[in-house]
Amino acid sequence: MSVTIHRHGDILIAIADNPPVNALSAPVRLELKAAIEQAAGDASIRAVVIACAGRTFFAGADITEFGKPPVEPLLPELVDMIEGSDKPVVAAIHGTALGGGCEVAIASHYRITVPSAKLGTPEVKLGLLPGAGGTQRLPRLAGVAVALELVAKGDPIPASVAKDVGIVDRLAGETSLLDDAIAYAREVADIRPLPRASQRPLSPDPEAVAAFERANARRFRGFEAPAANIACVVKATGTPYAEGVEFERQQFMKLMFGVQSAAQRHIFFAERKASKIDGIADDVAQRPIARVGIIGAGTMGGGIAMNFLSAGIPVTIVEMQQDALDRGTATIRRNYDATAAKGRMTAQQVDRAMALLTPTLSLQDLSDADLVIEAVYEEMSVKQDIFGKLDAICKPGAILASNTSYLDIDVIAAATKRPQDVLGLHFFSPANVMKLLEIVRGAATADDVLATAMALSKKIRKVAVIAGVCHGFIGNRMLEPRQVEAMKLLLEGATPEQVDRVHVDFGMPMGPFQMADLAGVDIGWHRDPNRIESIRDALAAEGRWGQKKQAGFYDYDDRRTASNSPRVAEIIEDFRRKTGTPQHEITDQEIVERTLYPMVNEGAKILAEGKAQRASDIDVVWIYGYGWPVYRGGPMFWADTEGLKKIVEGLDRHGFDVAPLLREKAEQGGRFTS
Ligand code: 3H9
């Protein structure tokens, strides 16, 4: 049974139990319907309480049912039936009442929640909208402005806020929800007419809509679902519920069968799958991590440290020189203060985080660390030296990690006598902001070390993916062919602006040259201004190192606003002449084929070599590490939607060495993702 029915005198209590998150799967819907019918048919019942067992109230419709043949009763019917009940229905909420769960709650006549509960409609994050009356009832309960925030942005709100805006009626005791809900049901049992959200009047509020659209235009760029959510809320104003809900249904179905929602649902499951490590049991014992050491207080080391400090884990940070250490510590403090200034942290939280930081000049101070992360510059001999020293200093069982972006973890591990304790933890810059963490599994890395790293990634709120040892791991390895090809396109007639525009139009936050300017044109440069073998060398030799020098592939003003650079155009032209590269008109489509298709190709090679566990992990890397548009589902999902045959034809046409796995899948009509 997914729903058990109890009686408490004249109150019928329906308790759903569908672990892990009480998704509103078909059996749950059917049995909830039966509960409402039972109450209607039993004269001795005066009111109904709907509650959930386990960790949460309904967290939404069952996403795994989407795209499959519908099973009655559908959620929209069920919520209308709940609201239509002649006997009052009280929703008793704990955990997270999300999506369809929130819709069940607002279709109920009364809502009581524990103070720790959250309510929200995150469907937009799955490329959808609340399709069971949510877009119609929420504005009627909370007003247009609040409803827009909830449905079009999808962030849940705490119970206290939900109460303030009229979505929740009453707060229960944290441990007495059911008793309080039963008492509430008894209290309201005879009140008529029943408060039905769908029947409340709602006036149009064009100003609120316009202000909301203006404020969020950037955030919604490229996404289809936010506009559909907004349209539904607008429809709710001045339109009877029946008409509005019909419109909502049409919009929901359109989104549901569109590519964007499929992509966003793919990423929802991909993110969760990424935490499963092949060949390691879920219950493998983990090593306790009570104290972390970080070597290097530069941008990377400082950013990494902030993740642990924010999670309440003490950090010892090591630098070689006092001034570098002071600078690093001051930067951490400044970043926290900036977060507090934006209202995202309190001054006390900042102080608490900073109090957990111990700056030092001595590696010896890492002797009691459970995990040490090395974040010094990319030079193998330096890393080997550090790991050799750590081997002598650190306690047995300590996990030793390198934040290297490219280097061979096995070679680094060989500098120690405990390669089983060594792995890569590759954070992405800025490390306190970017969600991605590549956990690099060395040949000897022990299972419990990997499992510990994966569990820790959740504690510091990262999305982690397991990568094998190879140059650049998953993300940077795929970036390389894109950057190489982008440079070739410049020589053949494209401009940096055109290449970047194509990527931004595709949905990336920036294009290859904008990214180079942000990261630093001088990164990896040989530092000899007389050795000019590429456009990049020429830029670096002239001090055009990117944004930090206000000149790179673009010119920048004091506010870092980019403009096209006549000097860069000259340098490119000069190189075209010098290399005698034939010119042709480069279309936007050619840029897509030559910069994005090779990424898919590299992804296929990574998969075939077992350097990524699954195609969806590659998608997670690109969504969370590089800002690939989530509505395109990551490079491998996108390749599936483009059609692998088309990708292979494009790669062949441009003379690429096509990965055998990609060719094979294309020939067999296969896909990378399910
Ligand atoms: C909707 O409601 C549409 C309606 O408006 C209209 C319909 C007509 N379904 O995240 P976790 C699985 S759309 C099926 O690791 P947490 C998840 O895959 C829905 N499965 O836990 C995972 O499986 P596994 C709107 C679901 O504690 C396991 O549960 N609702 C669903 O970190 C644990 O998940 C949402 O978008 C689902 N709805 O976070 C809410 N949800 O163990 C989506 C989860 O095999 N869910 N699973 O990997 C969440 O945001 C989080 O899961 C939640 C718990 C906050 C609830």
Side-chain angles (χ1 to χ4, degrees):
M1 288 293 275
S2 304
V3 178
T4 44
I5 311 260
H6 308 263
R7 279 193 68 139
H8 195 277
D10 48 4
I11 308 295
L12 184 142
I13 306 156
I15 300 185
D17 190 7
N18 185 24
V21 297
N22 281 314
L24 285 149
S25 320
V28 178
R29 297 195 302 272
L30 193 65
E31 290 168 32
L32 272 181
K33 180 180 174 202
I36 300 294
E37 283 168 348
Q38 184 179 331
D42 185 340
S44 66
I45 297 290
R46 292 165 64 227
V48 179
V49 170
I50 296 179
C52 288
R55 66 194 217 217
T56 181
F57 195 71
F58 308 109
D62 185 342
I63 311 170
T64 61
E65 287 180 355
F66 290 177
K68 296 183 186 157
V71 180
E72 303 276 340
L74 302 180
L75 197 54
E77 290 162 25
L78 177 67
V79 296
D80 282 350
M81 184 183 173
I82 291 172
E83 197 193 58
S85 160
D86 290 334
K87 298 182 179 173
V89 179
V90 176
I93 300 164
H94 74 293
T96 41
L98 298 179
C102 184
E103 291 172 297
V104 166
I106 58 177
S108 302
H109 306 109
Y110 300 95
R111 290 154 291 282
I112 179 167
T113 79
V114 293
S116 60
K118 287 188 172 172
L119 289 90
T121 45
E123 284 89 338
V124 70
K125 296 185 179 178
L126 300 171
L128 295 170
L129 51 80
T135 65
Q136 305 302 297
R137 287 193 179 92
L138 273 174
R140 287 178 162 91
L141 281 174
V144 170
V146 172
L148 286 173
E149 285 287 334
L150 282 169
V151 301
K153 284 184 164 167
D155 298 327
I157 51 173
S160 58
V161 177
K163 182 162 181 298
D164 288 346
V165 298
I167 296 172
V168 162
D169 300 297
R170 188 175 284 195
L171 295 183
E174 197 60 57
T175 53
S176 56
L177 177 64
L178 205 53
D179 288 344
D180 293 354
I182 292 167
Y184 192 18
R186 208 156 269 142
E187 197 181 308
V188 297
D190 297 324
I191 298 177
R192 296 292 182 278
L194 288 169
R196 294 189 165 104
S198 72
Q199 303 311 311
R200 288 167 69 139
L202 179 66
S203 309
D205 191 350
E207 274 161 29
V209 176
F212 181 78
E213 286 178 328
R214 255 194 325 274
N216 293 290
R218 211 181 136 89
R219 176 184 180 130
F220 295 158
R221 184 175 72 93
F223 287 90
E224 288 165 1
N229 273 280
I230 296 169
C232 287
V233 171
V234 170
K235 186 77 179 173
T237 62
T239 312
Y241 173 76
E243 210 176 293
V245 88
E246 180 67 35
F247 180 75
E248 177 193 88
R249 189 83 202 140
Q250 285 162 9
Q251 296 291 312
F252 181 83
M253 296 314 278
K254 203 160 114 197
L255 291 174
M256 167 73 96
F257 290 103
V259 173
Q260 289 203 354
S261 176
Q264 289 178 254
R265 282 181 274 138
H266 161 72
I267 289 302
F268 176 86
F269 288 114
E271 184 184 326
R272 282 152 182 84
K273 223 184 286 164
S275 65
K276 316 235 175 337
I277 311 172
D278 284 349
I280 297 188
D282 283 347
D283 57 355
V284 64
Q286 290 166 21
R287 301 187 189 183
I289 305 290
R291 173 165 279 280
V292 173
I294 292 175
I295 306 172
T299 314
M300 220 43 211
I304 295 171
M306 289 177 74
N307 290 295
F308 294 99
L309 298 174
S310 301
I313 302 173
V315 172
T316 302
I317 194 158
V318 189
E319 254 299 345
M320 303 228 312
Q321 306 290 338
Q322 188 66 47
D323 58 340
L325 188 62
D326 293 345
R327 251 197 326 273
T329 312
T331 305
I332 294 176
R333 171 101 227 179
R334 210 175 37 251
N335 286 341
Y336 273 132
D337 285 342
T339 309
K342 286 182 203 144
R344 290 203 221 113
M345 267 178 114
T346 62
Q348 290 92 316
Q349 285 171 321
V350 173
D351 289 344
R352 216 174 301 142
M354 287 307 291
L356 293 171
L357 181 66
T358 309
T360 175
L361 295 175
S362 169
L363 269 187
Q364 209 63 43
D365 290 346
L366 300 180
S367 60
D368 64 343
D370 301 301
L371 161 69
V372 177
I373 304 172
E374 161 279 309
V376 304
Y377 61 93
E378 289 285 81
E379 176 64 54
M380 181 55 95
S381 58
V382 177
K383 307 225 180 220
Q384 284 177 308
D385 179 53
I386 287 176
F387 274 76
K389 287 181 178 146
L390 287 177
D391 197 17
I393 292 169
C394 292
K395 63 185 181 186
I399 298 177
L400 309 182
S402 172
N403 177 52
T404 179
S405 321
Y406 288 95
L407 300 176
D408 188 329
I409 293 295
D410 293 332
V411 176
I412 295 174
T416 73
K417 285 190 270 326
R418 40 171 126 176
Q420 73 282 359
D421 296 341
V422 178
L423 83 173
L425 289 180
H426 181 212
F427 290 80
F428 286 68
S429 187
N432 53 319
V433 176
M434 296 300 284
K435 296 272 290 177
L436 180 66
L437 176 65
E438 281 181 333
I439 298 178
V440 188
R441 180 182 205 161
T445 310
D447 286 0
D448 64 339
V449 169
L450 286 171
T452 303
M454 187 55 86
L456 192 61
S457 72
K458 289 199 177 131
K459 242 183 235 164
I460 60 170
R461 304 165 76 93
K462 297 285 174 205
V463 179
V465 165
I466 300 287
V469 175
C470 57
H471 187 72
F473 315 123
I474 298 174
N476 283 344
R477 177 168 163 183
M478 287 168 71
L479 187 64
E480 194 153 305
R482 185 187 88 163
Q483 300 298 97
V484 166
E485 208 57 26
M487 291 305 270
K488 282 193 196 157
L489 283 160
L490 292 192
L491 282 180
E492 293 172 35
T495 61
E497 303 81 63
Q498 184 192 8
V499 176
D500 284 342
R501 178 184 47 74
V502 169
H503 283 82
V504 171
D505 286 352
F506 182 82
M508 301 294 293
M510 64 189 94
F513 300 108
Q514 291 161 326
M515 187 173 174
D517 275 0
L518 182 68
V521 176
D522 59 318
I523 287 186
W525 179 44
H526 47 60
R527 312 266 142 189
D528 177 357
N530 297 315
R531 201 176 119 205
I532 296 180
E533 289 156 1
S534 66
I535 295 173
R536 205 170 169 139
D537 284 351
L539 262 58
E542 285 190 17
R544 299 189 69 95
W545 292 2
Q547 287 197 15
K548 58 189 167 191
K549 296 273 187 176
Q550 290 189 290
F553 283 94
Y554 297 89
D555 292 332
Y556 296 88
D557 65 16
D558 292 345
R559 303 177 66 197
R560 297 206 167 184
T561 308
S563 57
N564 299 346
S565 165
R567 177 64 195 133
V568 171
E570 271 172 30
I571 293 173
I572 294 171
E573 198 47 53
D574 190 38
F575 253 86
R576 287 173 181 159
R577 261 197 314 273
K578 258 202 269 186
T579 53
T581 313
Q583 306 288 296
H584 67 281
E585 196 191 323
I586 290 169
T587 63
D588 291 357
Q589 179 60 22
E590 181 174 345
I591 292 173
V592 168
E593 290 177 7
R594 289 181 54 187
T595 55
L596 300 183
Y597 287 10
M599 291 177 60
V600 175
N601 198 34
E602 200 61 40
K605 290 179 191 170
I606 288 171
L607 262 185
E609 291 167 23
K611 304 298 181 191
Q613 299 191 113
R614 41 188 96 85
S616 60
D617 282 10
I618 297 177
D619 289 337
V620 169
V621 165
W622 271 83
I623 299 279
Y624 289 108
Y626 301 83
W628 183 282
V630 60
Y631 56 79
R632 293 194 196 267
M636 307 315 275
F637 182 90
W638 172 72
D640 286 339
T641 60
E642 277 282 283
L644 299 187
K645 196 160 162 275
K646 182 174 161 196
I647 302 256
V648 168
E649 280 166 7
L651 288 167
D652 279 338
R653 195 166 52 249
H654 297 296
F656 288 97
D657 172 23
V658 176
L661 178 67
L662 173 56
R663 194 178 292 286
E664 185 188 306
K665 280 193 183 289
E667 281 166 2
Q668 293 170 357
R671 295 172 58 92
F672 285 113
T673 60
S674 50

